[in-house]
Amino acid sequence: MGGSKKRKKDPHDGESPVDTSSDTEDNMEKYQVFKVSGYSRKYPENSPKSEFIVFLAHKDEKQLFTDKDRLAISHSIRKHCINGILHLKPINKYKIGITFDLSNNANVFIQNKKFMDELGLKASIPAIDTEVTGVLNSVPIDLSNKRIFSLIGSSRNVIQVRRFMRRVRNEGGSVSYQPTQTVAVTFASTELPQYVYLDSWRHEVSVYVPPVKQCLHCLKFGHIAKYCKNAEVCSVCTQNHNFKNCTEDPKNAKCNNCGGNHIAISNTCPQKKLKIEENKIRSKATKFSDLFNENSFPQLTMRNIETQVQNLTKSEPRLR
Ligand SMILES: [Zn+2]
Ligand SMILES: [Zn+2]
Ligand SMILES: [Zn+2]
């Protein structure tokens, strides 16, 4: 029933790190991704961009956009007098994009609940235009993600803290996750700060290279199984069945993406390698803020943190 899968963890895993910190959370919670609650994406008001896109999808994500939907959207835009639209365009069969002239018009639109409810739609702003993730190294393992959030000092609002966990296969075949000293921090900003401070310890922020997204259902790149709308494809023989039911010898595997002699999720796949390189190149384009250096770093107080949280949880379409 309500219990999450994680709770099923074998208690005999032997994972019992000594907790010397004042954290009261148990170990499972300790390394859970910490997200600022109530945060929703908004375009920054001082954005240098000239176009601000908002994605629309049906509340039922598997529902296609029909001609009828197009007309209904146009009608509702007139009815609700939506301001600042430059154009509309289909993104794919399930998603359309509305491009606005000003950040504020886009921010106001995504909160137009009446418009969305009338048409059974939901709106979102892409993360790439509003958020940036950096990586910190040498972060003491005992610190929980939540604790890191409360200790972090940065000129940018932090919206998520996630420690990298190492997947370990135990002798009995069970799998457990062990914390590493590397932590990913997501900022509500389009530029990475050069440094952040953890309890006065300065940590350099490096660019986060996201892993290649590969769907374990259809094996295509760019989405994950949770959102897959394609037929299931076997990673061994490319037929439409689960790989567990495959009778083909893995030695004869055929990759669904490149046709090569390897299973489709293999990192040796030339197509996958290309995607990994693309991710690296894209990540290298991340801008670092030159406004942020140690001299301009504001003294961190509890008040800063509170204000930071308040700013992010406010419902007004404003991020300061
Ligand atoms: Zn898929
Ligand atoms: Zn198969
Ligand atoms: Zn391949």
Side-chain angles (χ1 to χ4, degrees), residues 215 217-219 223 228 230:
C215 176
H217 187 75
C218 76
L219 308 171
H223 66 271
C228 185
N230 302 324

PDB file of all heavy atoms in Angstrom, residues 215 217-219 223 228 230, ligand 1:
ATOM      1  N   CYS A 215      15.805   5.054 -22.516  1.00  0.00           N
ATOM      2  CA  CYS A 215      14.578   4.413 -22.057  1.00  0.00           C
ATOM      3  C   CYS A 215      14.798   2.903 -21.958  1.00  0.00           C
ATOM      4  O   CYS A 215      15.245   2.283 -22.918  1.00  0.00           O
ATOM      5  CB  CYS A 215      13.460   4.726 -23.030  1.00  0.00           C
ATOM      6  SG  CYS A 215      11.939   3.902 -22.622  1.00  0.00           S
ATOM      7  N   HIS A 217      12.505   0.830 -21.710  1.00  0.00           N
ATOM      8  CA  HIS A 217      11.321   0.179 -22.283  1.00  0.00           C
ATOM      9  C   HIS A 217      11.471   0.043 -23.800  1.00  0.00           C
ATOM     10  O   HIS A 217      11.393  -1.049 -24.344  1.00  0.00           O
ATOM     11  CB  HIS A 217      10.079   0.991 -21.912  1.00  0.00           C
ATOM     12  CG  HIS A 217       8.784   0.345 -22.303  1.00  0.00           C
ATOM     13  ND1 HIS A 217       8.268  -0.716 -21.607  1.00  0.00           N
ATOM     14  CD2 HIS A 217       7.912   0.605 -23.296  1.00  0.00           C
ATOM     15  CE1 HIS A 217       7.128  -1.090 -22.172  1.00  0.00           C
ATOM     16  NE2 HIS A 217       6.890  -0.295 -23.202  1.00  0.00           N
ATOM     17  N   CYS A 218      11.740   1.170 -24.481  1.00  0.00           N
ATOM     18  CA  CYS A 218      11.876   1.117 -25.949  1.00  0.00           C
ATOM     19  C   CYS A 218      13.330   1.275 -26.396  1.00  0.00           C
ATOM     20  O   CYS A 218      13.624   1.160 -27.588  1.00  0.00           O
ATOM     21  CB  CYS A 218      11.003   2.184 -26.604  1.00  0.00           C
ATOM     22  SG  CYS A 218      11.687   3.845 -26.486  1.00  0.00           S
ATOM     23  N   LEU A 219      14.226   1.600 -25.429  1.00  0.00           N
ATOM     24  CA  LEU A 219      15.672   1.689 -25.639  1.00  0.00           C
ATOM     25  C   LEU A 219      16.135   2.907 -26.440  1.00  0.00           C
ATOM     26  O   LEU A 219      17.314   3.055 -26.752  1.00  0.00           O
ATOM     27  CB  LEU A 219      16.217   0.410 -26.291  1.00  0.00           C
ATOM     28  CG  LEU A 219      15.817  -0.883 -25.573  1.00  0.00           C
ATOM     29  CD1 LEU A 219      16.203  -2.098 -26.400  1.00  0.00           C
ATOM     30  CD2 LEU A 219      16.469  -0.951 -24.207  1.00  0.00           C
ATOM     31  N   HIS A 223      14.524  10.026 -23.379  1.00  0.00           N
ATOM     32  CA  HIS A 223      13.444   9.965 -22.380  1.00  0.00           C
ATOM     33  C   HIS A 223      13.664   8.725 -21.510  1.00  0.00           C
ATOM     34  O   HIS A 223      14.518   7.902 -21.818  1.00  0.00           O
ATOM     35  CB  HIS A 223      12.068   9.929 -23.052  1.00  0.00           C
ATOM     36  CG  HIS A 223      11.801   8.683 -23.844  1.00  0.00           C
ATOM     37  ND1 HIS A 223      12.139   8.548 -25.182  1.00  0.00           N
ATOM     38  CD2 HIS A 223      11.241   7.505 -23.496  1.00  0.00           C
ATOM     39  CE1 HIS A 223      11.786   7.344 -25.600  1.00  0.00           C
ATOM     40  NE2 HIS A 223      11.241   6.693 -24.604  1.00  0.00           N
ATOM     41  N   CYS A 228       7.538   6.700 -21.352  1.00  0.00           N
ATOM     42  CA  CYS A 228       7.610   6.085 -22.678  1.00  0.00           C
ATOM     43  C   CYS A 228       6.232   5.801 -23.250  1.00  0.00           C
ATOM     44  O   CYS A 228       5.339   5.320 -22.568  1.00  0.00           O
ATOM     45  CB  CYS A 228       8.403   4.791 -22.602  1.00  0.00           C
ATOM     46  SG  CYS A 228       8.651   4.083 -24.235  1.00  0.00           S
ATOM     47  N   ASN A 230       6.179   4.277 -26.423  1.00  0.00           N
ATOM     48  CA  ASN A 230       6.465   3.337 -27.505  1.00  0.00           C
ATOM     49  C   ASN A 230       6.270   1.897 -27.048  1.00  0.00           C
ATOM     50  O   ASN A 230       6.119   1.620 -25.861  1.00  0.00           O
ATOM     51  CB  ASN A 230       7.911   3.512 -27.980  1.00  0.00           C
ATOM     52  CG  ASN A 230       8.177   4.927 -28.452  1.00  0.00           C
ATOM     53  OD1 ASN A 230       7.316   5.556 -29.048  1.00  0.00           O
ATOM     54  ND2 ASN A 230       9.365   5.428 -28.155  1.00  0.00           N
TER      55      ASN A 230
HETATM   56 ZN    ZN B   1      10.857   4.642 -24.538  1.00  0.00          ZN
END
